[in-house]
Amino acid sequence: AQTVTQSQPEMSVQEAETVTLSCTYDTSENNYYLFWYKQPPSRQMILVIRQEAYKQQNATENRFSVNFQKAAKSFSLKISDSQLGDTAMYFCAFMIGYNTDKLIFGTGTRLQVFP
Amino acid sequence: DSGVTQTPKHLITATGQRVTLRCSPRSGDLSVYWYQQSLDQGLQFLIQYYNGEERAKGNILERFSAQQFPDLHSELNLSSLELGDSALYFCASSPEGNGAGEKLFFGSGTQLSVL
């Protein structure tokens, strides 16, 4: 069974600074996908970024980028130039690459951005 | 706005009762996913439907059932409710959901409170 671990329950960062959220996962599969979702106080689940395991290049979406280390089964999220609106719960998620696109989520990291 | 509609937004009921949560997927999406988010269990995958058929099943209790109708909307039925069923229930949708790594788009959730 696949598992996703987020070892940082809470983190904080000052506005305009950079912060990195950690995620590790466990799988015996070779074909899979990894995601980061953001859940602000509104509780809406918002997709931040997506990574395909067979691609070595790290995904980037504006201020958000990932450091994907397949051998180490690590998938961290870097937020650059943090903004107050980045305050949210961040969930790392794993998706197996066959039959279904269900997501397996980690426990989340609560990020607080301070002015 | 993700395009996924969930109703109602809030539901308050008593133990032993039965409720129905409704989800309309994004236009064109054939797959619907149900998730439960609670403080103790985190985000748990319950079940996925594709074009009316069950495609994947997670940790869904026997007291819970779901279905997807010909117009592709889905309903999650929760019966014999217990206090521990209090949670935020999310619906998500994707075009096919067959393991191609599709992005899932989430509704705003139904907050269920069992008193």
Side-chain angles (χ1 to χ4, degrees):
Chain A
Q2 291 79 25
T3 58
V4 179
T5 302
Q6 294 180 251
S7 58
Q8 306 154 315
E10 294 185 358
M11 292 196 70
S12 61
V13 64
Q14 196 150 24
E15 201 174 8
E17 297 295 308
T18 296
V19 64
T20 299
L21 309 184
S22 301
C23 172
T24 58
Y25 58 94
D26 189 24
T27 184
S28 57
E29 302 293 336
N30 198 44
N31 183 31
Y32 52 89
Y33 304 84
L34 296 162
F35 298 79
W36 280 95
Y37 275 82
K38 166 185 174 180
Q39 188 177 37
S42 66
R43 303 180 318 181
Q44 179 74 43
M45 291 291 289
I46 301 166
L47 175 65
V48 175
I49 203 163
R50 171 184 177 273
Q51 174 78 42
E52 297 157 335
Y54 57 84
K55 285 190 176 178
Q56 287 191 328
Q57 185 173 7
N58 290 323
T60 299
E61 288 287 344
N62 301 312
R63 298 182 295 107
F64 298 88
S65 61
V66 298
N67 183 5
F68 173 48
Q69 302 288 330
K70 190 171 184 178
K73 296 181 182 175
S74 170
F75 183 61
S76 61
L77 174 70
K78 185 171 85 171
I79 306 174
S80 303
D81 186 25
S82 296
Q83 300 175 0
L84 296 178
D86 295 334
T87 292
M89 279 288 286
Y90 286 81
F91 292 95
C92 177
F94 175 96
M95 179 187 285
I96 197 74
Y98 63 87
N99 192 49
T100 174
D101 283 329
K102 70 178 184 183
L103 289 165
I104 306 299
F105 285 94
T107 50
T109 295
R110 185 174 302 279
L111 176 68
Q112 180 74 49
V113 180
F114 291 98
Chain B
D1 182 10
S2 67
V4 178
T5 304
Q6 287 189 249
T7 56
K9 291 194 184 306
H10 301 276
L11 201 47
I12 301 174
T13 188
T15 54
Q17 295 299 304
R18 172 189 168 94
V19 296
T20 297
L21 313 183
R22 183 187 168 102
C23 170
S24 293
R26 290 188 322 158
S27 178
D29 284 357
L30 299 177
S31 263
V32 169
Y33 310 75
W34 286 98
Y35 284 84
Q36 178 195 59
Q37 185 177 29
S38 61
L39 286 174
D40 54 344
Q41 301 268 21
L43 267 163
Q44 296 279 319
F45 168 71
L46 297 178
I47 198 163
Q48 176 196 357
Y49 275 81
Y50 168 75
N51 204 22
E53 300 289 328
E54 183 184 304
R55 171 161 279 177
K57 204 167 186 176
N59 298 323
I60 187 167
L61 299 173
E62 284 192 11
R63 301 183 286 107
F64 296 2
S65 65
Q67 55 184 326
Q68 187 179 26
F69 295 86
D71 67 352
L72 301 177
H73 91 271
S74 178
E75 293 180 356
L76 179 66
N77 298 295
L78 315 176
S79 61
S80 302
L81 285 167
E82 302 175 359
L83 296 177
D85 297 328
S86 295
L88 183 57
Y89 291 85
F90 281 110
C91 167
S93 75
S94 74
E96 298 284 337
N98 57 5
E102 292 174 350
K103 298 173 184 178
L104 267 60
F105 293 89
F106 284 76
S108 56
T110 293
Q111 180 68 56
L112 174 66
S113 298
V114 182
L115 305 179

